[in-house]
Amino acid sequence: MLILHDNVESGNAYKARLLLSLMGKEYKCIQYDVVNGETRTDEFLKKYNKNGRIPVLEFEDGKCLAESNAIIYFLSLGTEYFPNDPWLQAKVMEWMCFEQYSHEPFVAVAKFILTMLPENTPRRAEIPTLHEKGYSALEIMENQLKENNWLVGDHISIADIALYAYTHKAPLGGFDMTRFPAINNWCNQIEALPNYIKMF
């Protein structure tokens, strides 16, 4: 059986959980306390991921694949979650790069600071900048989803799954999502899918 090395608070790990559930695949989770360094032990670094991060997907033969977008890409190959057309495949990858470089560093980090760190953390000073850049990313998504049901093509893809993970929890990072009706409709579509599971 597939094993997902996981943390329930992680949107990156949730991408893998959500896709595995939507695909109806059996798997089990092992939870790690990332704040207290459980993914930085010698055993974890040697056996699962030299970079000391989750998620990691462990296969039955012992192979391990890290990085959330690599995991969902691999799982989606040959399925309805990754298009056959090369242009659409490239557009999926374009959105997944956008997620990692223009969205997650701001939307996810704001959530982390406001929900995982003490209230008196000096990192709260980062929030205004994170909001400014996070809102810019959300506006790009909103404009795409005003005209389209999905980010790429006419069916949900791993681009949607990658961006849904932290977008639907953006209010925990202090983002006002009432500004984005198209994103909210898109979230509702995903949450209505068979085998959908909540993040936590």
Side-chain angles (χ1 to χ4, degrees):
M1 184 181 293
L2 294 168
I3 299 172
L4 183 66
H5 299 269
D6 187 16
N7 175 273
V8 73
E9 294 280 349
S10 167
N12 285 321
Y14 175 60
K15 296 174 194 176
R17 288 201 309 274
L18 178 57
L19 181 58
L20 286 164
S21 182
L22 292 174
M23 294 174 67
K25 284 188 172 287
E26 290 190 7
Y27 67 100
K28 70 176 183 178
C29 287
I30 298 176
Q31 295 290 323
Y32 294 82
D33 184 340
V34 296
V35 174
N36 288 316
E38 289 187 358
T39 62
R40 303 287 176 167
T41 63
D42 289 342
E43 179 185 7
F44 188 93
L45 294 170
K46 182 177 180 180
K47 187 173 182 181
Y48 302 117
N49 183 7
K50 293 180 177 65
N51 198 28
R53 296 178 183 274
I54 52 88
V56 174
L57 188 62
E58 182 180 356
F59 295 84
E60 292 180 2
D61 61 3
K63 289 181 181 176
C64 291
L65 183 62
E67 299 296 335
S68 59
N69 285 352
I71 291 168
I72 63 175
Y73 165 75
F74 183 83
L75 290 172
S76 72
L77 291 174
T79 76
E80 61 186 334
Y81 298 98
F82 193 67
N84 292 320
D85 178 82
W87 176 254
L88 295 181
Q89 290 176 351
K91 297 303 284 185
V92 166
M93 301 311 295
E94 180 181 71
W95 278 110
M96 292 174 72
C97 291
F98 167 86
E99 187 267 341
Q100 285 290 281
Y101 290 102
S102 299
H103 181 283
E104 192 266 0
F106 311 113
V107 177
V109 173
K111 172 189 172 294
F112 173 77
I113 291 171
L114 293 180
T115 64
M116 301 289 286
L117 299 182
E119 285 190 16
N120 63 351
T121 176
R123 293 200 63 187
R124 292 215 170 200
E126 300 173 30
I127 294 297
T129 299
L130 295 173
H131 280 176
E132 178 186 357
K133 294 183 177 182
Y135 276 125
S136 294
L138 292 166
E139 193 65 45
I140 291 170
M141 291 177 63
E142 178 74 8
N143 289 335
Q144 175 72 3
L145 292 166
K146 282 178 182 176
E147 306 295 333
N148 303 276
N149 289 330
W150 304 104
L151 291 171
V152 177
D154 58 4
H155 188 274
I156 186 174
S157 72
I158 54 172
D160 299 286
I161 290 169
L163 278 152
Y164 172 77
Y166 280 113
T167 298
H168 85 294
K169 293 300 184 185
L172 295 177
F175 291 91
D176 176 12
M177 296 305 290
T178 64
R179 295 167 50 173
F180 304 107
I183 289 178
N184 292 327
N185 289 337
W186 168 77
C187 288
N188 290 337
Q189 284 188 128
I190 294 172
E191 290 158 14
L193 293 170
N195 296 327
Y196 170 83
I197 54 169
K198 293 182 179 180
M199 182 172 168
F200 45 72

